[in-house]
Amino acid sequence: MKTIINTLLIFLIGGNVMAQSELITTKSEGGKKVQFILHLPKSYDGSKIYPVAIGPSELESMEGSYYWKDFKANDSWILIDATIYLGSGQKEALLTIRNYLKKNYSIEGGKFHAVCFSANSSPVFKLVMAAPELFHSVTGMPASVSASDENFKKLEDVKVQLLVGADDGYWVRSSKSLQSKFEKLGLDSNLEVFPGVGHFLLNVRGQPLMDRLDRLRP
């Protein structure tokens, strides 16, 4: 039985299926409190192995990330909302979340797929650089990151995906600059620019995002 210090369960009922979201409160090995929101697939099967996507959140709402908020059709991913927007200082919390998931669920490769958005993209990318061994991939929607070549090279075993709306000025330039940098360094990366779309990528909310994350699975 899972040991959860403080768990809030919300069941989102749709037809004959039920999706589950939990606010988990646990502790790191150093005794620090760690909180995150866990969203299980609507038909979660404990015998299956699931990929895990983690995105930045202030944990103010159980609805979760803007890009999977209200997404009740998910039947293939475990989704995590956590305060990873705080950057590399969250490595201890990230390890705690990973250990919790490995103890209670079967997660693909024991690693995360990170997703970040706009202003939080830099700290999230830097967290991935600080702990690349914990990530399969990182997706910026969109992203702007300044780092040394040495730090960017830490992503050599992490797949990078950049998504941006063609009408999003600065962020288009930043995403293209990042993609050029990754290509120069020989990193596994892909840039997708959406015509007629601005800063908020409404076109990839829900299943379209899951489809793109599926391409990054090992």
Side-chain angles (χ1 to χ4, degrees):
M1 181 178 293
K2 295 183 296 181
T3 300
I4 303 173
I5 297 174
N6 177 32
T7 303
L8 173 62
L9 298 178
I10 292 182
F11 295 99
L12 306 173
I13 301 175
N16 293 320
V17 299
M18 187 157 53
Q20 177 177 307
S21 297
E22 307 178 39
L23 174 64
I24 308 296
T25 301
T26 186
K27 287 186 178 181
S28 69
E29 290 185 358
K32 293 183 179 180
K33 183 173 77 171
V34 175
Q35 287 190 311
F36 62 97
I37 299 173
L38 169 74
H39 308 278
L40 293 180
K42 64 179 182 180
S43 300
Y44 174 74
D45 182 344
S47 67
K48 293 183 178 180
I49 297 174
Y50 290 92
V52 179
I54 186 167
S57 171
E58 294 184 1
L59 307 183
E60 293 180 342
S61 169
M62 289 295 291
E63 294 177 315
S65 163
Y66 175 82
Y67 287 100
W68 52 68
K69 177 180 178 181
D70 300 325
F71 179 44
K72 301 177 179 64
N74 172 41
D75 200 26
S76 58
W77 283 74
I78 291 176
L79 306 174
I80 301 291
D81 287 286
T83 55
I84 59 172
Y85 63 91
L86 296 176
S88 57
Q90 285 296 101
K91 184 174 179 179
E92 182 179 358
L94 187 68
L95 284 166
T96 302
I97 295 170
R98 197 274 297 267
N99 291 341
Y100 177 92
L101 292 174
K102 289 183 71 174
K103 179 180 179 180
N104 295 291
Y105 304 96
S106 295
I107 63 174
E108 191 171 69
K111 298 182 181 182
F112 301 103
H113 294 266
V115 182
C116 53
F117 329 107
S118 187
N120 60 49
S121 61
S122 182
V124 170
F125 262 83
K126 289 177 180 178
L127 174 59
V128 178
M129 293 174 196
E133 70 279 5
L134 299 181
F135 293 93
H136 289 298
S137 72
V138 56
T139 297
M141 349 179 10
S144 178
V145 187
S146 295
S148 66
D149 286 359
E150 181 181 2
N151 281 328
F152 275 129
K153 286 179 181 179
K154 293 177 181 178
L155 300 175
E156 63 181 353
D157 294 321
V158 179
K159 295 180 180 179
V160 178
Q161 178 173 232
L162 303 172
L163 309 177
V164 65
D167 298 339
D168 199 14
Y170 164 81
W171 293 96
V172 174
R173 295 190 296 273
S174 177
S175 297
K176 289 183 176 180
S177 176
L178 270 179
Q179 177 64 4
S180 295
K181 170 68 74 173
F182 294 144
E183 289 179 347
K184 178 182 177 182
L185 295 175
L187 302 178
D188 188 349
S189 62
N190 178 66
L191 169 63
E192 188 172 3
V193 182
F194 303 105
V197 177
H199 193 60
F200 297 100
L201 306 182
L202 297 175
N203 57 311
V204 295
R205 290 185 72 184
Q207 191 59 51
L209 174 58
M210 297 299 106
D211 291 342
R212 284 166 174 80
L213 292 178
D214 274 330
R215 301 171 189 169
L216 306 176
R217 294 175 61 183

